[in-house]
Amino acid sequence: MKHYRLHGILLMLALLLQSSCKSLDRTPQEQEDNTPPVEVIEPTEDDSSEELTPIDPVEPAPEELLPPIEVFFIDQENLPDDAGIAGTSYTALVYVLDNTNKRRYGPFNGSTYPNSQENPSGSDRPNRVSEGPHYFNNLSGHKGQTKQGLNLVNTDAVRIVPGYSWSLQNTEVQYANVHTGFSDKGNYNSRGSQGCPTIHPDQVDDFMALFDFSIPNWEDPPKYTTGNSEGIVYIFRENEETRNQLINEIETLYE
């Protein structure tokens, strides 16, 4: 996996992350505990803000070192209530920067949170991907290459990334993808996620159209669910003031 430098503006944004932010180059040995990796099982289709310290401007990274595509999930601090209120499942704004063509897309509606529980009894509660930057490619797609998805990977292009357990203990998450959510009904399983970042189902086609999905899968007739896109996904879970600052900074790029 090619190592990219963060966008100059993103070096500044990264300083806003909480101490739990994971570096791209963090190894499993640097985790705070030895919790074994937890596989994300892809879902079935059932349904005190602190004052910000001013930060000096950072020189932009050389263009040849920027990732081709950067994806930003700007989410709220806490898991959604999932109280059955339609329109409340996706609390993140999602932006895509195409650094090759110098274009900005979005915002899309999305989420960095998993289902609030996998079933009504409250058991099998899923993990989540940690805040910070994560490499991605789309060589594997989603749901056995039957759907489009961006695959989160480590610096060796292995599908293992830092994450948290349901009790917010450090762990590792396997097979996490950016993929479509299930619905926006505000229910415990509306996001359709057992640890993956998701995009609102009404917007996912427009989102995925920004990436290369030129490789046919095994179905007859084939679907084009994988490709050769790669870059960095950034996950932020912040208070409202910090979210607004991040959004304002991103919206200055490629105006």
Side-chain angles (χ1 to χ4, degrees), residues 49 76-77 238-245:
S49 173
Q76 65 185 27
E77 285 184 290
E238 302 291 344
N239 61 53
E240 183 176 3
E241 183 178 7
T242 303
R243 290 202 312 275
N244 289 337
Q245 182 174 352

Side-chain angles (χ1 to χ4, degrees), residues 163-248:
Y164 305 122
S165 67
W166 184 261
S167 60
L168 300 183
Q169 300 300 307
N170 288 329
T171 186
E172 292 179 325
V173 178
Q174 293 181 322
Y175 310 127
N177 307 319
V178 178
H179 63 79
T180 184
F182 178 53
S183 73
D184 194 13
K185 296 181 179 179
N187 295 323
Y188 70 90
N189 61 348
S190 291
R191 284 178 293 281
S193 169
Q194 292 194 11
C196 301
T198 50
I199 303 296
H200 192 294
D202 292 345
Q203 301 172 19
V204 72
D205 288 344
D206 290 339
F207 175 84
M208 293 298 177
L210 301 176
F211 305 88
D212 170 60
F213 286 97
S214 59
I215 301 175
N217 71 357
W218 45 267
E219 295 179 279
D220 186 16
K223 296 177 183 176
Y224 290 84
T225 58
T226 63
N228 295 297
S229 289
E230 64 176 39
I232 299 176
V233 170
Y234 303 86
I235 292 179
F236 295 87
R237 298 184 181 103
E238 302 291 344
N239 61 53
E240 183 176 3
E241 183 178 7
T242 303
R243 290 202 312 275
N244 289 337
Q245 182 174 352
L246 292 167
I247 290 166
N248 290 338

Side-chain angles (χ1 to χ4, degrees), residues 11-66:
L11 296 176
M12 184 195 76
L13 299 184
L15 297 177
L16 298 174
L17 290 172
Q18 304 299 324
S19 60
S20 58
C21 174
K22 305 295 190 304
S23 166
L24 281 173
D25 296 313
R26 189 171 186 181
T27 63
Q29 288 73 27
E30 292 173 304
Q31 297 289 339
E32 295 178 10
D33 60 31
N34 294 318
T35 306
V38 180
E39 179 176 344
V40 174
I41 302 173
E42 294 170 346
T44 60
E45 295 191 351
D46 294 330
D47 199 285
S48 78
S49 173
E50 295 181 359
E51 183 176 354
L52 297 176
T53 302
I55 301 172
D56 293 331
V58 180
E59 289 298 319
E63 290 189 11
E64 65 272 16
L65 296 180
L66 289 175

Side-chain angles (χ1 to χ4, degrees), residues 1 134-137 151-155 157-161 176:
M1 189 79 188
H134 304 274
Y135 285 122
F136 78 85
N137 61 38
N151 312 124
L152 302 189
V153 298
N154 63 20
T155 55
V158 177
R159 296 175 66 189
I160 300 176
V161 295

Side-chain angles (χ1 to χ4, degrees), residues 79-172:
L79 185 77
D81 290 336
D82 294 338
I85 301 173
T88 61
S89 297
Y90 301 92
T91 52
L93 292 183
V94 184
Y95 292 85
V96 178
L97 290 187
D98 177 347
N99 292 318
T100 301
N101 298 303
K102 297 180 173 55
R103 297 289 301 274
R104 183 186 75 243
Y105 300 94
F108 302 92
N109 296 110
S111 178
T112 67
Y113 289 102
N115 294 339
S116 55
Q117 56 190 50
E118 178 54 21
N119 59 54
S121 70
S123 62
D124 300 322
R125 289 189 169 187
N127 299 313
R128 68 189 68 171
V129 174
S130 68
E131 295 91 351
H134 304 274
Y135 285 122
F136 78 85
N137 61 38
N138 63 341
L139 296 175
S140 300
H142 179 55
K143 292 185 74 67
Q145 298 186 358
T146 61
K147 294 187 177 182
Q148 295 178 341
L150 307 181
N151 312 124
L152 302 189
V153 298
N154 63 20
T155 55
D156 296 317
V158 177
R159 296 175 66 189
I160 300 176
V161 295
Y164 305 122
S165 67
W166 184 261
S167 60
L168 300 183
Q169 300 300 307
N170 288 329
T171 186
E172 292 179 325

